[in-house]
Amino acid sequence: MAASVDAVVAGAGGFIGGHLVKSLLDEGKTVRAVDIKPLDEWYQVHGDTENLQRDLSDLANCREAVGDGAGEVYNLACNMGGMGFIENNKALCMLSVLPSTHMLMASKDAEVERFFYSSSACVYAGYKQTEADIAPLKEEDAYPADAEDGYGWEKLFSERMCRHFREDFGLQTRIARYHNIYGPEGTWDGGREKAPAATCRKIALAALNGEKTVEIWGDGEQTRSFTYIDDCVHGTKMFTRGDVTEPLNLGSSEMTTINNLYYLVADIAGIDIELKHVEGALGVRGRNSDNTLIQKYYGWEPSISLRDGMSKLYAWVYDEVKAKYKL
C-alpha cells in the first residue's frame, strides 16, 4: 500500500486537475496525481509529485491511489467534454459512476479526512433552463430532477452517493457544482473542447488566415456563464476545507450569449468577424449561477471577469494553433 500523502488528485491529467495539483504543490503539500491517460497525454505533469497512470474504474486501483490515507482526496475523474461530446457519448459519461463510487469506497476504508467531488451545473433541471434570459440557478433547482441526459444524471447520482457516505459512514464529503470552467492548459480541439476554447481556436485561425467568417452552432443566442480556472481552483480548495456539506454552485454570475462570446474574443484578437450559424449540439437554452449561498457561507464568489479570463485563454490558444498548424 502506498504511503499516506497530504492530497490525492484523481483526474490529475485533465485540465482542472493539472491546475489543482500545481496549486496544492505551491502550498507545500505532498501530492499523488492519478489519471487513466499516459503521462505524455496529461495537460500538465509536475515532477515533484507521485504520478500514477491508473484506471480508477477499478476498485483496486482506487485503493492504490488513496494508499494509507490522505488529508484530502479530490475526485475529478470522469469522462467529459463540451456539449458535442456529452450529447453523443451518454453511456461513456454514465460509466464515470465507477470511479466516482470506487474512490468513495477506497477513501472511506482509508479513513480519508476530506473527500471532494466535482459535480456540474449539468445536474440542474432542464425545465428550469428553457429560456435564454434565465433566472440564475439556485442549488435547490436540481430537484425535482431532470438532469442533462447521461453526464448530468451520473453527476447527480454521485452527489447522492457522497451524501450517503457522509451520513452512513462519516466520510467528510464536499461537493462543488462547476459552471463551465475555462482557461489555458486544457482541451482546445478534437471534439471534447468547450465553448470558450473552441471560440478561441476559431478566432485564432481566422486571425492567422486572414478570414472573416466564423462558424457557430445554433443561433448563438443561448446563454451561459463561464468560470476562470483560478477561481475554480480557489473555490475547490475552499469548499474541501470548509464546513458546508451540501452541494454549492462554483461559477461566475456574469452571463453572456454565445454570439457575444465570439465577438468578445474577436475584439481581444483585434479582428472583425461575421458569424455563420450552423447546426450543432446546443444543450440547454440558458444557464447561469446563483451565488447567494456561496456568498452567505464563504463571503466570496468567482470574480475574474470574462474579458480578463478570455484574454488569457486566447493568448494561450493562439500560440497552440500557430504551432500546430505552422501558421
Side-chain angles (χ1 to χ4, degrees):
M1 187 69 72
S4 99
V5 291
D6 294 326
V8 173
V9 178
F15 162 51
I16 299 173
H19 286 274
L20 177 59
V21 169
K22 182 181 185 303
S23 179
L24 292 166
L25 290 171
D26 288 344
E27 293 180 342
K29 305 286 189 186
T30 55
V31 180
R32 182 174 299 122
V34 191
D35 201 282
I36 192 172
K37 297 186 293 293
L39 258 66
D40 61 4
E41 295 180 14
W42 290 25
Y43 291 114
Q44 298 184 61
V45 177
H46 304 281
D48 39 1
T49 61
E50 181 185 352
N51 297 311
L52 299 177
Q53 181 195 352
R54 298 290 187 275
D55 180 357
L56 295 177
S57 64
D58 184 278
L59 177 58
N61 288 338
C62 292
R63 295 195 191 285
E64 181 186 1
V66 173
D68 287 333
E72 300 166 349
V73 169
Y74 296 88
N75 184 24
L76 313 177
C78 68
N79 260 310
M80 64 88 62
M83 194 53 59
F85 177 81
I86 67 175
E87 284 200 353
N88 293 293
N89 295 275
K90 295 183 177 70
L92 276 178
C93 290
M94 290 294 285
L95 284 171
S96 296
V97 73
L98 295 174
S100 296
T101 302
H102 290 152
M103 284 299 294
L104 278 167
M105 293 171 67
S107 296
K108 172 186 76 73
D109 293 345
E111 298 182 346
V112 162
E113 294 175 24
R114 290 291 172 101
F115 182 96
F116 172 84
Y117 177 66
S118 60
S119 188
S120 165
C122 288
V123 303
Y124 284 115
Y127 56 80
K128 292 275 189 177
Q129 304 172 79
T130 58
E131 302 294 332
D133 189 19
I134 185 181
L137 292 162
K138 300 179 180 180
E139 284 78 1
E140 64 195 47
D141 291 332
Y143 296 95
D146 179 30
E148 177 79 35
D149 199 10
Y151 180 76
W153 278 107
E154 189 279 323
K155 289 294 188 184
L156 193 60
F157 173 83
S158 294
E159 283 190 8
R160 303 297 290 192
M161 286 285 288
C162 287
R163 172 180 173 176
H164 296 310
F165 268 67
R166 175 175 52 82
E167 293 175 340
D168 295 356
F169 304 127
L171 177 63
Q172 289 301 305
T173 58
R174 302 292 186 264
I175 301 166
R177 290 176 179 163
Y178 288 160
H179 284 250
N180 295 309
I181 314 303
Y182 73 99
E185 304 292 344
T187 305
W188 58 271
D189 68 350
R192 289 192 184 227
E193 68 277 14
K194 292 188 174 183
T199 303
C200 289
R201 182 193 73 244
K202 294 176 186 178
I203 300 298
L205 282 168
L208 288 164
N209 291 320
E211 299 172 353
K212 288 196 67 174
T213 302
V214 176
E215 287 191 352
I216 182 172
W217 288 352
D219 65 5
E221 289 304 306
Q222 60 269 38
T223 54
R224 296 290 187 274
S225 64
F226 298 99
T227 310
Y228 192 67
I229 184 63
D230 291 357
D231 278 336
C232 172
V233 169
H234 176 83
T236 294
K237 295 188 299 181
M238 183 174 68
F239 286 11
T240 303
R241 297 162 186 174
D243 297 327
V244 181
T245 57
E246 295 305 307
L248 289 178
N249 282 332
L250 182 46
S252 168
S253 58
E254 182 185 354
M255 190 169 71
T256 183
T257 66
I258 303 301
N259 281 333
N260 284 338
L261 178 68
Y262 275 71
Y263 289 129
L264 171 65
V265 177
D267 186 60
I268 291 168
I271 65 171
D272 293 322
I273 60 169
E274 296 175 357
L275 294 178
K276 178 182 179 182
H277 297 92
V278 299
E279 290 188 4
L282 302 178
V284 296
R285 189 61 174 164
R287 177 179 291 159
N288 193 15
S289 178
D290 184 296
N291 289 342
T292 303
L293 288 185
I294 189 174
Q295 289 175 325
K296 173 184 176 182
Y297 292 127
Y298 293 110
W300 178 87
E301 67 173 317
S303 60
I304 296 172
S305 73
L306 187 59
R307 172 172 282 275
D308 287 348
M310 291 300 292
S311 295
K312 295 176 183 179
L313 176 59
Y314 178 74
W316 180 79
V317 171
Y318 180 91
D319 289 342
E320 294 289 306
V321 169
K322 191 173 182 180
K324 179 174 181 177
Y325 296 106
K326 298 178 172 58
L327 296 172

